[in-house]
Amino acid sequence: MIKDVTAIRIGFVTFGLHTAIILAALFLIGDLPSREAAGFINPSAAGAPPLVEKFIKWDAHWYTYIAEHGYNLQSIVFFPLILLLIKLLAGFGLSYVTAGFILCNLFTFISFYLMAKTFLLNFPEIEVKKALIAYALLPTSFFLNSVYTESIFIVFALASLYCLRTRSWWSAGLFAALTALCRNLGILLVPVILWECIVYYRQKRKVTINMIAVLLPLIALSGFCLYNYLLFADPLAFVHSQQAWGRRFGLPWDNFWNNVNLVVAGVPSLEVGVYLDAVLVALAFIALLAVTVIPAFRLPWTYTLLGWFWFFVPMFSTSPIYPLYSMARFVLVILPVYLFLAKLPDAVFYCLITMSAVGLLVCTGLFINWAWLG
């Protein structure tokens, strides 16, 4: 009960800090570079309330459009959970755009509470506070307030981790299944659940039938594959259609080096995502390396394994235009990054966090002005 109250307090304060920066960015947009709307535009977004419309950019147009009109072969790359939740909320009379905005911001609020609640199982309160401040102020955390999958993904992933740590196997499997229906990276909770099963067996010297809950994410993804087959006669249409979006295979180190060369060559201010990709990928790699090999930064292996999985798998995807395609956004879900920062000395931590807060303020304004940031 005490930890619940602490989690609520930490979550509420850090969510408030994040929201204050996001709202402050609204006053900067007139002083930042801007460009005309680009990419696919959902016609329904034109009628959205002004505040909502400001955050409906890039993929948010796709999510709200698909939720209302359904998939085609190009849009099947977007996983279904967020679409179903938007459709459910829109059933109460809201427009699909407004429903998506409310949904993702509600899950953002929940994510702060669940992150605090989950971290408090293993870490002291002061580290949990600092970790959530880092989460609140990551320069790309504005994606939590748009209609993207990040907030929903983080909530269900944290719920699965919490249930794993408390040995609620079926709940852990169910939440992992929902995570897998949110983004393809969710399926990587399966080896993490298997790891926790091994840890449990080593401690108790017994196996429980409830561990078969590890199959739930695989069943969920298989269901999406079946849906792909019924729609397009291709169970992996969501994979094969990635090529239409310019994604292709590339080695992580090659992708990073190509991105560095792009930064050195110089890119327009509205392509600041290229810089963010390089900086946040470097930060994530340093963080994961530290929590793996430096004793003072070590984490429970569940966090470390999941962090490496969620870092390296998307690093194998690239495009000719953006070598680290959307990695600045993908880093947002890598939980060990926040725990690493929380373990730094206060002077270093608050110096980095101040820079991060300024980055979030500027990046939010640029995103509203149609800059590509992931």
Side-chain angles (χ1 to χ4, degrees):
M1 181 63 181
I2 295 176
K3 285 191 174 182
D4 267 344
V5 173
T6 303
I8 292 171
R9 174 170 50 81
I10 295 173
F12 186 82
V13 171
T14 50
F15 173 77
L17 175 63
H18 168 80
T19 304
I21 298 291
I22 295 297
L23 293 178
L26 296 174
F27 297 96
L28 289 181
I29 55 178
D31 299 315
L32 293 172
S34 64
R35 70 177 173 197
E36 295 297 318
F40 172 76
I41 303 297
N42 179 3
S44 300
L51 177 63
V52 175
E53 188 276 332
K54 283 180 169 58
F55 287 91
I56 305 301
K57 300 292 186 287
W58 303 107
D59 286 359
H61 282 274
W62 278 106
Y63 285 118
T64 52
Y65 182 84
I66 301 166
E68 184 173 4
H69 299 285
Y71 281 118
N72 59 33
L73 193 55
Q74 182 182 12
S75 64
I76 193 64
V77 297
F78 296 99
F79 271 49
L81 184 60
I82 185 174
L83 310 174
L84 295 172
L85 293 174
I86 291 173
K87 185 175 285 291
L88 178 65
L89 192 55
F92 291 94
L94 297 170
S95 72
Y96 280 82
V97 173
T98 301
F101 180 79
I102 292 173
L103 174 77
C104 291
N105 280 272
L106 175 62
F107 270 84
T108 296
F109 176 75
I110 296 170
S111 75
F112 279 87
Y113 163 70
L114 264 182
M115 188 176 291
K117 184 179 177 69
T118 304
F119 285 178
L120 283 167
L121 290 175
N122 297 103
F123 306 100
E125 182 179 335
I126 184 61
E127 288 187 6
V128 174
K129 287 179 182 176
K130 291 168 70 177
L132 265 80
I133 290 172
Y135 172 57
L137 300 179
L138 195 77
T140 51
S141 62
F142 61 83
F143 281 112
L144 299 170
N145 304 99
S146 183
V147 186
Y148 278 72
T149 58
E150 271 62 32
S151 61
I152 302 171
F153 182 91
I154 289 171
V155 165
F156 288 127
L158 285 167
S160 181
L161 287 175
Y162 181 86
C163 293
L164 273 180
R165 305 299 290 171
T166 56
R167 299 300 183 245
S168 300
W169 301 106
W170 282 106
S171 295
L174 175 61
F175 286 124
L178 292 172
T179 310
L181 289 175
C182 192
R183 273 176 56 187
N184 55 0
L185 291 179
I187 199 65
L188 295 173
L189 279 164
V190 169
V192 173
I193 296 174
L194 287 173
W195 169 257
E196 285 289 341
C197 291
I198 293 170
V199 171
Y200 180 84
Y201 175 76
R202 286 176 175 175
Q203 292 172 344
K204 304 293 185 180
R205 290 296 168 184
K206 66 177 182 179
V207 175
T208 170
I209 188 65
N210 294 331
M211 289 178 178
I212 64 172
V214 71
L215 297 176
L216 293 180
L218 298 172
I219 294 171
L221 185 59
S222 297
F224 186 50
C225 290
L226 176 60
Y227 183 69
N228 276 244
Y229 178 77
L230 294 174
L231 279 182
F232 306 113
D234 179 3
L236 296 178
F238 67 96
V239 176
H240 299 147
S241 293
Q242 290 284 351
Q243 295 176 3
W245 293 82
R247 286 192 181 272
R248 57 182 174 81
F249 176 83
L251 295 174
W253 41 90
D254 288 339
N255 298 339
F256 183 78
W257 184 247
N258 290 338
N259 198 90
V260 170
N261 287 333
L262 197 59
V263 169
V264 171
V267 293
S269 58
L270 282 166
E271 300 294 345
V272 69
V274 174
Y275 296 99
L276 273 180
D277 284 336
V279 171
L280 293 182
V281 163
L283 171 63
F285 181 74
I286 292 169
L288 288 167
L289 200 60
V291 301
T292 303
V293 303
I294 302 177
F297 289 93
R298 288 259 172 86
L299 306 177
W301 272 105
T302 299
Y303 288 100
T304 305
L305 288 172
L306 193 58
W308 280 116
F309 286 148
W310 285 351
F311 175 74
F312 260 123
V313 169
M315 281 290 291
F316 282 96
S317 177
T318 188
S319 80
I321 301 175
Y322 300 108
L324 294 175
Y325 204 149
S326 300
M327 279 303 299
R329 172 163 56 91
F330 295 160
V331 167
L332 187 57
V333 306
I334 301 177
L335 304 178
V337 170
Y338 310 123
L339 294 166
F340 161 75
L341 291 170
K343 290 177 178 292
L344 292 172
D346 282 353
V348 177
F349 173 79
Y350 286 110
C351 178
L352 291 174
I353 286 303
T354 300
M355 292 189 290
S356 188
V358 173
L360 174 59
L361 184 68
V362 173
C363 287
T364 302
L366 288 171
F367 177 76
I368 292 171
N369 285 350
W370 279 98
W372 171 260
L373 295 161

